[in-house]
Amino acid sequence: MITASLLHNALIVGAILFSLGLVGILTRRNLIVMFLCAELMLQGVSVTLVAWSRYHGDWGGQILVIFVLTVAACEAAVALVFILQAFSRTGRLDAVAWQALREDNLPRTVDRELPAGDTAPPSWPRLSPAGIRPDSDDNQALQRDHV
Amino acid sequence: MSPFSPTTLLVLVPLLPLLGAICTILLGRRLGARGHLPAVAGIAGAALVAGLLLVSTVNDVRGDGNGQATRPVEIIAELWQWATVDDAHAGGGDAAGTPVAPGISALDSFSATVTLRCDPLTSTLLVIITGVGLLVAIYSIGYMHDDPGYPRFFALVAMFVFSMSMLVAASNFLLVYVFWEAVGACSYLLIGFWFTRPEAARAAKKAFLVNRVGDFGLAIATFLLWMTYGTLDFHDTWAGDTVVQGILGHTRLADAEGFVGGAVGTAICLLILLAACGKSAQLPLHVWLPDAMEGPTPASALIHAATMVTAGIYLITRSAPLFVGCPGALAMVSIVGATTALVAAGIATVQNDLKRVLAYSTISQLGYMFASLGTGSMLGFTAAIFHLVTHAFFKALLFLGAGSVMHSMGGVIDMRRFGGLRQVMPVTAATFLIGACALAGLPPFAGFFSKDEILAALHAKAHPDQHHSDHADAHAADQIAPNRLATPFRQAAFASNRTALESDAGLERVGLDALDHPSTWQTLFWMSLFTAGLTAFYTFRAVFMTFTGPKRVPTEAGHHPHESPTVMTVPLMILAGLSLLAGWVLFATGGLAWFLAATPSLTAPAIVRTAVTHAFHVDLAVQGSLAAAIGIAIAAIGHLGKRSDSPQMERFLGPLGTLLENKFYFDAIYKALIVRPLEGLSLLSALIDRNLVDGTVDAVARVPLSWGAVVRRLQSGLVQRYALAGVVGVLAIVLALAWQLRP
Amino acid sequence: MDQVSVAPAGMLLAGSVTALAAALWLLLPKALDTPGTRRLGALLGAIAILGFAATGRTLGCLGADAVFLVVAGVAVVSGLATIVTRSPVYAAIWFALTLAGVSGVLLVLGAQFLGVATIVVYAGAILVMFLFVLMLAQPSGMASYDRVSSEPLLAAVSGAVLLGLLTLSVGRLSASAPPACCAMPSRAQAAAEAVRPQTATPSQAAPQNQMTDADEVARLGAELFGRHLFAVEVAGLLLLVALVGAIAVVSRAEAADGDQGRSRR
């Protein structure tokens, strides 16, 4: 059993997480980030469910969260496969790349002007020196420069 | 019901052609060149049954009366109840505040039964219809050979025989109206049989539209009859144990006050006359019949010469008791008829198309019959039917002869393009000559006797003192039977009847009734006599132009024009024999008049009173024959032995010839007065429709279109925007709810 | 809760945490690394550990509220970072931190099993899968679509309004002393017990005292495999179907890709 104030706090945390996830899923165009945001919304719901479950002393909420976990796992498996498919079709992880459902005579939505600040090359994290220095492979560096 | 009881026979007459038509329609394509079989078999069966029915009816008449049959003879076959409407008050019985008595409510329920009635008039016409129909159908086997619509033609002919039989056998004005339309439809379909030809299609449309005018009259007449009499049945029916008087039933005929005169009666009669004018091609609705010759010639012979066009004669004869109460309407019938006879005969004198000559001749002869009907005497009615019978024979003969000529000449029918065909087709020439003699009224051919009777009827009317005093103490003003007066309309109708009778008793006649004057009838008589001369002239002009003179055939006929096949010439010979003998047989025995006198409609006291002893009028016969002889003589002077394309006689006529050639400008007048204004109205309507109505609709349609043009930008195909829109919508709803549920 | 005894311990704990953070920062490789800073870091680390050890005894007395505030703050802040970070890899790592925070919240709420399960399943399995996919699919450089949001203003306003509404409703919940909606489940529970008295377990009879018991996981397991056994079976089937479906889609797509690849080559 938890106190009412803890319940309220937990509910507010759940609401915040849910709202953040919602904003993310509405704005971010990267498919994987959108997916992360969906998981964030699920987390908000889970917190809310557990809070209520504990407040009422009823197992139902926690059981439901267990099933939410299960379904989220399934969803992740299937959705990631689809994201990979989409990527192999367009070469991008962009939700805006898929707009074939628009009206016939509407022009295709294209990216607006990119913000100037972001055009600078990103700063790379430095890896701590450990072991021997790997051989420099330009091609590989090009592929994986961002990680 | 024994298999040969008159009732069965009566039902079989229309049923057999109907079965034939249905079989032809269903099996027509499979039968191919034998497509005529079901129809011909059906019509032949109907002809046989009609003959048996005639014998049976004659026996009935003979059994009832000794020579002078006054008791009406009828056979009624009630088939089924078609429609029933309870409480169909005519004229609103309770509007006047007078309660409708219980016994009378039965009168005010409308019921339409499919009932057939056979009386001498019907059985005579049935024999004519099925008999001529059979001959024409047999003739068509040869004439329509190799036509792509072969089965269709026979289906239509059988359908027509069915409709026409039903029309003359129906015992109900509603049923009469139905089959009046049905024969009109068959006529329309047969005129437009070769519907790919624009002239045929136009002629069919014209016939249909002009007939609508007459049909409109019949419809209004039917409404008025029901308003006035409370029933549409001809025969008496029983409602419980009270008799409901049919319009032409025995009880009403026996009742001296049974029929409405005055304004309502005259209106009914004039409307029926309008209907008859439409169907029988009388002035001013005659314009469709000449154009109807675009149809196949056998159809013209059957429908537009022998049977359907006589439906008007039948209807007026059937309604004779209604007419005799309205002398003005009767006089109108005669005036219309005699005028039509004269005008049509005049036009026929200058026609060069053989079939058109015959068409105008048909109009003219029908005018004769109308003139005869209009006398309103027993002699007049029987003479009209007599002429109808003989005319059916000789005009069918002439049409089939013309068809034979046309068949042989490769479709050419213009008399100026051929001549001397006597050498090419002797059988056709001989039979055509017999028909022409009958039409011209030469003794002893059929037309002579019937035309003589018509002239006699007119003469009797024109000189009442010489023949018979036909009206005097005719109408005893009885108490008006109460059960007819259930509604204010009927009360008013019969009251006007009474005043009309009273004014009849006085010397002064008003309105149309003033036309019923001996001087009118004298004029009509002389017009008819002159028409007889014209008839002989144009008939023999056609004969001379076609069959005499140097032999010439058009190129369409090929190198060896030949006589028509036997299947076509045999009907010609049969009809020629009938044209030769029928008039003499029927007149000399007086059988037809005796037989027809037993028709219920003709047993009305006012008609029976005018019956005269059967006599041959030598003076009139001489006058008629003389007129015919003069006409033939002039035709012989003009055309006998000459090339048919030589200068015509109308050049001597001057402006009258121009008038005749243009058919009295009827078509032009109709075009200017009716067609052109209607076309202008249609054009205006089309403009309004296209611009105003369509413009409004388009404008209304443009509103959502413009909204859509704005809103469709939302359909960007971007899923995230859709989701955002969903979220915003949900938020809006939640906010609205929160605002409403605020504490 | 005893404020007097808790406050010094809390301050000590906060100091230890700060010291630990500074020590770690000093120890981590940086541009301005010197041996002095490293030594300072090690010293601070030792002090922090001592401080933790000193406060460990009083940790049990520390209010659940304070712990809750910390873990909830972690969850919320890292959740915010998840959605605002440009790089998807960083977003995934921030999400992992969110999961940690959420797991803490769940633990504070007394759901031990779920707290652990969240870490294990999400952070351990799902998130790693995400990272793998990112490795496979992320193109070189920062993609343009990671730098531009779609409709940021409208979405932000919507999210804020939604949060406001939710907070409002939670606040109203606390304003009305016994919330009307909270009475409902207990009534339902009472009714359920009235219907089925013989199947009532002791835990249901006195749940409030025993929810925090050590056998909480056991009770949850009994509940899950007792009342919800069928649902568990269905969930297992769902997992199987998802597995098979994912493999099927991938294999077909790879066959198509292989064809394309061969033809390209």
Side-chain angles (χ1 to χ4, degrees), chain B residues 353-705:
Chain B
D353 181 325
L354 182 54
K355 277 181 77 177
R356 278 179 191 263
V357 171
L358 295 176
Y360 278 107
S361 155
T362 305
I363 298 173
S364 174
Q365 297 301 309
L366 291 167
Y368 258 116
M369 297 178 213
F370 270 70
S372 169
L373 291 175
T375 59
S377 61
M378 180 67 95
L379 180 60
F381 288 119
T382 51
I385 300 298
F386 185 22
H387 197 55
L388 189 160
V389 172
T390 55
H391 175 257
F393 293 145
F394 64 69
K395 191 50 67 66
L397 167 62
L398 288 172
F399 261 109
L400 295 184
S404 179
V405 169
M406 196 172 164
H407 193 64
S408 172
M409 294 295 114
V412 175
I413 199 64
D414 191 332
M415 291 188 290
R416 285 170 298 187
R417 295 190 55 196
F418 46 71
L421 297 185
R422 174 171 42 102
Q423 299 151 32
V424 178
M425 30 203 328
V427 179
T428 305
T431 50
F432 197 92
L433 184 64
I434 292 173
C437 290
L439 174 58
L442 286 183
F445 294 96
F448 166 73
F449 295 102
S450 52
K451 198 173 284 181
D452 175 59
E453 285 219 351
I454 289 176
L455 289 175
L458 283 169
H459 193 259
K461 195 79 175 172
H463 306 281
D465 44 334
Q466 289 182 16
H467 290 264
H468 188 80
S469 120
D470 73 329
H471 73 83
D473 52 338
H475 312 291
D478 285 338
Q479 276 296 321
I480 291 165
N483 71 338
R484 284 197 300 271
L485 305 179
T487 67
F489 181 83
R490 278 175 225 162
Q491 284 165 358
F494 279 90
S496 76
N497 187 15
R498 209 162 178 190
T499 56
L501 293 178
E502 278 157 7
S503 74
D504 194 22
L507 293 172
E508 186 104 8
R509 290 183 153 199
V510 291
L512 272 182
D513 290 355
L515 288 172
D516 185 20
H517 189 268
S519 62
T520 312
W521 297 104
Q522 280 166 14
T523 316
L524 294 178
F525 172 74
W526 288 111
M527 278 166 73
S528 302
L529 203 56
F530 182 59
T531 307
L534 280 182
T535 307
F537 169 71
Y538 69 69
T539 312
F540 276 86
R541 171 175 170 269
V543 171
F544 295 151
M545 283 175 82
T546 307
F547 293 105
T548 67
K551 175 186 164 189
R552 291 183 306 120
V553 291
T555 49
E556 286 91 337
H559 293 296
H560 298 289
H562 53 87
E563 178 62 274
S564 298
T566 319
V567 74
M568 287 167 71
T569 51
V570 165
L572 286 179
M573 289 188 268
I574 295 173
L575 284 171
L578 285 170
S579 303
L580 197 57
L581 296 174
W584 185 77
V585 168
L586 290 177
F587 181 79
T589 60
L592 188 67
W594 165 79
F595 183 53
L596 287 176
T599 305
S601 294
L602 298 182
T603 55
I607 300 175
V608 171
R609 208 166 32 240
T610 62
V612 291
T613 49
H614 182 64
F616 182 68
H617 310 282
V618 182
D619 50 342
L620 292 175
V622 168
Q623 287 177 26
S625 305
L626 204 59
I630 293 170
I632 294 171
I634 296 175
I637 292 168
H639 296 284
L640 181 58
K642 296 188 179 165
R643 282 174 66 93
S644 51
D645 53 352
S646 58
Q648 298 290 301
M649 291 192 71
E650 56 262 25
R651 67 202 154 98
F652 301 118
L653 294 174
L656 184 61
T658 321
L659 190 64
L660 291 177
E661 266 191 6
N662 289 292
K663 303 154 193 169
F664 288 92
Y665 295 102
F666 269 109
D667 284 324
I669 290 169
Y670 286 161
K671 185 149 196 170
L673 283 186
I674 298 170
V675 178
R676 280 279 153 73
L678 279 178
E679 275 176 354
L681 195 64
S682 311
L683 206 64
L684 189 66
S685 310
L687 278 179
I688 290 174
D689 182 51
R690 252 174 238 146
N691 296 326
L692 198 65
V693 179
D694 286 4
T696 313
V697 173
D698 287 351
V700 170
R702 230 169 267 136
V703 171
L705 214 60

Side-chain angles (χ1 to χ4, degrees), chain C residues 74-136:
Chain C
V74 166
V76 168
V77 169
S78 54
L80 184 64
T82 304
I83 69 164
V84 298
T85 310
R86 269 41 166 188
S87 163
V89 178
Y90 289 166
I93 291 169
W94 277 117
F95 182 63
L97 196 52
T98 312
L99 286 175
V102 168
S103 166
V105 169
L106 295 183
L107 285 174
V108 170
L109 288 173
Q112 294 101 328
F113 173 75
L114 281 177
V116 175
T118 302
I119 291 291
V120 171
V121 175
Y122 265 107
I126 299 180
L127 198 64
V128 171
M129 197 152 70
F130 273 52
L131 285 172
F132 273 126
V133 171
L134 275 175
M135 301 287 177
L136 286 174

Side-chain angles (χ1 to χ4, degrees), chain A residues 25 28 98-99 102-103 106, chain B residues 712 715-717 720 724:
Chain A
I25 211 168
R28 298 305 302 269
W98 302 89
Q99 43 178 295
R102 70 183 184 282
E103 279 285 318
L106 277 186
Chain B
R712 72 189 309 176
Q715 291 286 335
S716 57
Q720 281 176 307
L724 180 62

